[in-house]
Amino acid sequence: MKDAIRLDKILANSGFGSRKDIKKLVRTGVVAVNDQAAKDSSIHVSPIKDIITVNGVQVIYKEFVYLMLNKPEGYISATEDLREPTVIELVPEEFSHYDLFPVGRLDKDTVGLLLLTNDGKLAHNLLAPKKHVPKKYFAKIDGTVTENHVRLFSEGVTIDDGYKTKPAELKIVSAGDISEVELVITEGKFHQVKRMFQAFNMEVTFLKRTEFGPLLLDENLEPGEMRELTEQEISLLK
Ligand code: URA
């Protein structure tokens, strides 16, 4: 965290409105830095060393937030879209002043674990192909998945554009006309899971991400709900 930051940035991140709102707020004399009323919202203060209060209540500054979303169907993994609802529309009011974005993408019809953050560096690291961050999915497949598929997935699957995926760990949960599987992949090609099954003429009819790197989907989250990561989850991610 940088040592000195503009007071209005700190207050904006803590939910006190836009820069304009904060300028007005500061003018009313209710904002204090180390017990001295602040005169100007553009002054630089240290969010660590200085004590900032609004109406006597201390402001706790958080530069980054990390939210685990249980993504529901019907939302796209983007920050804005003219036609489709985006996962950002699910963000509760208390976090709406952070510039959150989804870390990677789940298809509109895919459900489950999606991380939202404003920490670009962390997101970049998690998505870097070289990092091979594992992602685990539960899927329902129209077709019978066999041990032969398990072996073939473990060797990598050549998908429609000729790309051969990295080895993937496929586990059969139940096999029949409709099969249920778990799959761990370490890449994030567009529609990767669907295309891997398509290579065997099988269709994914349900897809849920249950793990992302060290994070496990919190099953207490209803579809559409999100919660902040715990300190422990954040340090595991880093
Ligand atoms: N693979 C897919 O096909 N879709 C997703 O949403 C994620 C992985």
Side-chain angles (χ1 to χ4, degrees):
M1 197 184 284
K2 276 184 248 120
D3 207 35
I5 305 178
R6 278 176 66 119
L7 179 60
D8 51 9
K9 178 153 191 240
I10 296 175
L11 293 175
N13 254 22
S14 305
F16 287 95
S18 66
R19 285 204 171 171
K20 216 165 145 193
D21 298 332
I22 290 160
K23 201 169 178 177
K24 278 192 207 150
L25 189 73
V26 168
R27 279 210 204 113
T28 65
V30 297
V31 179
V33 179
N34 303 325
D35 279 338
Q36 296 283 312
K39 293 199 179 71
D40 188 339
S41 59
S42 69
I43 57 167
H44 282 68
V45 294
S46 162
I48 306 162
K49 295 183 204 135
D50 296 317
I51 295 180
I52 303 153
T53 56
V54 176
N55 284 316
V57 179
Q58 191 171 347
V59 174
I60 307 296
Y61 175 70
K62 232 190 294 178
E63 187 176 18
F64 297 124
V65 285
Y66 307 90
L67 300 171
M68 176 191 292
L69 166 67
N70 183 3
K71 181 189 170 297
E73 262 191 82
Y75 287 79
I76 63 163
S77 302
T79 51
E80 48 190 26
D81 194 88
L82 291 177
R83 280 183 294 266
E84 313 274 9
T86 74
V87 290
I88 297 302
E89 290 166 36
L90 298 164
V91 172
E93 174 75 34
E94 63 184 297
F95 300 110
S96 61
H97 54 282
Y98 287 98
D99 287 330
L100 293 166
F101 57 85
V103 179
R105 258 186 301 190
L106 290 178
D107 296 338
K108 188 177 168 192
D109 60 353
T110 301
V111 300
L113 202 174
L114 185 63
L115 179 65
L116 305 179
T117 187
N118 58 341
D119 183 345
K121 198 168 145 207
L122 179 88
H124 181 79
N125 280 336
L126 289 169
L127 297 174
K130 274 196 204 141
K131 296 276 160 89
H132 307 299
V133 172
K135 292 132 202 140
K136 187 170 182 177
Y137 294 87
F138 169 81
K140 291 187 187 169
I141 311 295
D142 192 356
T144 310
V145 180
T146 65
E147 288 304 325
N148 198 34
H149 294 115
V150 172
R151 185 178 56 77
L152 292 166
F153 271 62
S154 76
E155 291 167 2
V157 174
T158 303
I159 55 177
D160 49 14
D161 61 359
Y163 174 78
K164 186 169 181 197
T165 69
K166 297 254 164 352
E169 201 184 310
L170 177 62
K171 204 172 120 190
I172 300 171
V173 177
S174 67
D177 289 345
I178 302 280
S179 304
E180 294 185 340
V181 299
E182 283 176 353
L183 179 66
V184 180
I185 57 173
T186 56
E187 313 163 273
K189 301 275 171 232
F190 188 57
H191 297 325
Q192 182 162 339
V193 175
K194 292 172 185 165
R195 289 161 81 198
M196 288 174 86
F197 282 98
Q198 238 164 41
F200 300 97
N201 288 318
M202 288 190 287
E203 195 194 339
V204 174
T205 56
F206 175 79
L207 189 59
K208 176 179 185 178
R209 184 154 68 189
T210 56
E211 295 180 24
F212 181 66
L215 299 180
L216 309 184
L217 176 64
D218 183 340
E219 294 291 347
N220 292 318
L221 291 173
E222 295 292 332
E225 282 184 351
M226 60 186 82
R227 67 155 170 84
E228 275 191 272
L229 296 190
T230 62
E231 288 300 324
Q232 197 196 6
E233 286 170 327
I234 296 169
S235 61
L236 284 173
L237 268 186
K238 289 181 174 172

